[in-house]
Amino acid sequence: MNETSRIYIAGGDTLIGTALRERLRAGGYTNLVGEPPDEPDLTCPWQVEDFFSAERPEYVFVAAGPTGGIHANQSYPAQLMRDNLLTTVHVIHNAYRYDVAKLLYLASSCSYPRLAPQPMRVESLMTGPLEPTNEAYAMAKLAGVVLCQAYRRQYEASFITAIPTNTFGPHDDFRAEDSHVIPGLLRRIHEARCRGQAEVRIWGSGRPRREFLYSRDLADACLYVMRNYDADEPINLGGGPELSIAEVANAIVNVVGYRGRLSFDTSRPDGMPLKCLDSQPLMKLGWSPSTDFHTALAETYDWFLRHIASQENRNARKAV
Ligand code: GFB
């Protein structure tokens, strides 16, 4: 892949897709096709085929498909599974039909078995039951992994899979209920500070542990892997810090400057008790993240303040 290559990022307006577009442009890869708002509806087969037939991308990053946190996965499992399966099949099949030189499919760390040995290695995939809170979505992402391997085997397609750890950053989904833990808590703790709320309820026990990676580092890893990796086996994209949810919440309290107290709502689910990736293969390939967690958290909160909170305040003033 070089600076003149035609590159398509499926899901260009997602957390990872936006970070990828920024990273590619910063690296001189400016021949991007299908950027929002010109991206087709990836759940519609003929829109996807018309797009690939017209634009003929040479390299494709698949960062598309609806996502959500633990509450969203419990609320909309059918929609999450259906739209991810449709998106994945349509993009991967048309990438094959229209001779894409290389495709990188982004799976999800929730596709590992609930009790996989930690840190999780790709050999553990499909060796045990999935986490019930996100089984439907996880199965859809797992199907994408196997589909890429099948296209490699049957058609010798250069389609690879990367499995990112929990990712956060600017352009994240900050909805209070359906987002992932970091954007969800940033919003809720920010609002508690603005409203002078004495307490914020953290979902679950606070004991689950997660590994986190900044979206800008993940985008850099995706570019590195696209240029340096080509094998049947998926590759984990991690290398970030492993923290308990309670530690994450306290870090967010410090970034937001909240003075109230935190309590734990154990009526809400914990999800996987521990979810950390073995990213040794990625490190051996020569990549590691460059942004420390607190800097990443502060930059994410700053983006939220400038793009979400300020807009919602303007809307609220207009509504009065
Ligand atoms: O990020 P999260 O929603 O999903 O939740 P997973 C992580 C942990 O944070 C859970 C707790 O134990 C939650 O109970 N938590 C505490 C909160 N407060 C909050 C809050 O305000 N919002 C949220 N969302 N969580 C996801 C999958 O699992 O992992 C996705 O659901 C995806 O599909 C992602 O695969 C990578 O980390 O448990």
Side-chain angles (χ1 to χ4, degrees):
M1 187 170 83
N2 58 50
E3 283 76 0
T4 60
S5 302
R6 293 174 69 76
I7 301 169
Y8 168 48
I9 295 160
D13 59 351
T14 63
L15 166 68
I16 299 174
T18 310
L20 264 169
R21 287 162 56 211
E22 288 174 357
R23 176 63 187 85
L24 287 168
R25 289 198 179 286
Y29 301 92
T30 54
N31 195 3
L32 305 185
V33 297
E35 289 195 274
D38 301 330
E39 188 162 12
D41 172 355
L42 299 178
T43 63
C44 174
W46 53 86
Q47 284 196 33
V48 179
E49 179 166 359
D50 289 350
F51 170 77
F52 272 84
S53 168
E55 296 295 342
R56 304 291 174 124
E58 298 166 275
Y59 294 86
V60 176
F61 294 85
V62 188
T67 63
I70 195 162
H71 179 75
N73 273 271
Q74 290 188 294
S75 306
Y76 329 108
Q79 178 197 337
L80 285 168
M81 184 169 197
R82 178 190 68 238
D83 290 354
N84 274 284
L85 285 173
L86 289 171
T87 293
T88 301
V89 167
H90 295 157
V91 172
I92 287 175
H93 184 59
N94 281 282
Y96 156 68
R97 278 194 62 185
Y98 291 95
D99 303 317
V100 162
K102 192 168 184 181
L103 174 144
L104 168 59
Y105 169 74
L106 285 169
S108 172
S109 60
C110 71
S111 293
Y112 279 99
R114 170 178 165 76
L115 299 176
Q118 301 283 339
M120 300 185 288
R121 296 160 52 87
V122 293
E123 293 80 2
S124 293
L125 286 170
M126 296 188 274
T127 60
L130 296 168
E131 161 58 40
T133 55
N134 55 43
E135 185 181 40
Y137 170 81
M139 190 64 79
K141 298 305 287 184
L142 203 49
V145 174
V146 178
L147 190 62
C148 282
Q149 292 171 329
Y151 273 75
R152 288 180 70 88
R153 197 170 305 124
Q154 182 170 345
Y155 305 116
E156 296 182 351
S158 185
F159 293 1
I160 59 175
T161 296
I163 303 179
T165 191
N166 283 47
T167 307
F168 69 98
H171 304 277
D172 209 337
D173 168 356
F174 282 90
R175 290 173 295 169
E177 286 290 313
D178 290 339
S179 55
H180 289 100
V181 59
I182 285 182
L185 283 181
L186 274 172
R187 167 187 281 280
R188 295 199 296 121
I189 292 172
H190 166 80
E191 289 176 347
R193 179 177 63 81
C194 297
R195 296 170 183 163
Q197 223 171 291
E199 179 183 85
V200 174
R201 305 273 283 160
I202 309 303
W203 301 351
S205 67
R207 286 195 296 272
R209 301 185 70 83
R210 296 287 183 274
E211 176 189 1
F212 293 99
L213 198 60
Y214 191 31
S215 57
R216 290 175 172 162
D217 284 335
L218 180 67
D220 190 58
C222 290
L223 176 57
Y224 191 87
V225 162
M226 176 67 96
R227 303 193 61 187
N228 298 286
Y229 185 76
D230 193 352
D232 286 353
E233 194 169 79
I235 186 166
N236 284 335
L237 303 184
E242 174 205 316
L243 300 164
S244 72
I245 298 307
E247 288 167 334
V248 170
N250 282 306
I252 291 173
V253 161
N254 292 331
V255 164
V256 170
Y258 176 59
R259 297 276 179 269
R261 63 181 176 279
L262 302 180
S263 61
F264 293 92
D265 177 359
T266 51
S267 71
R268 306 287 293 239
D270 272 343
M272 277 176 84
L274 176 54
K275 195 162 50 163
C276 296
L277 299 181
D278 173 10
S279 297
Q280 280 311 306
L282 178 63
M283 308 298 157
K284 285 186 184 126
L285 205 59
W287 187 89
S288 57
S290 58
T291 313
D292 75 272
F293 181 71
H294 293 281
T295 301
L297 210 47
E299 288 182 4
T300 304
Y301 183 49
D302 177 61
W303 187 90
F304 167 77
L305 290 175
R306 286 185 291 112
H307 295 82
I308 308 282
S310 56
Q311 183 58 52
E312 290 178 351
N313 291 340
R314 279 195 294 275
N315 294 346
R317 280 198 296 274
K318 281 180 198 161
V320 171

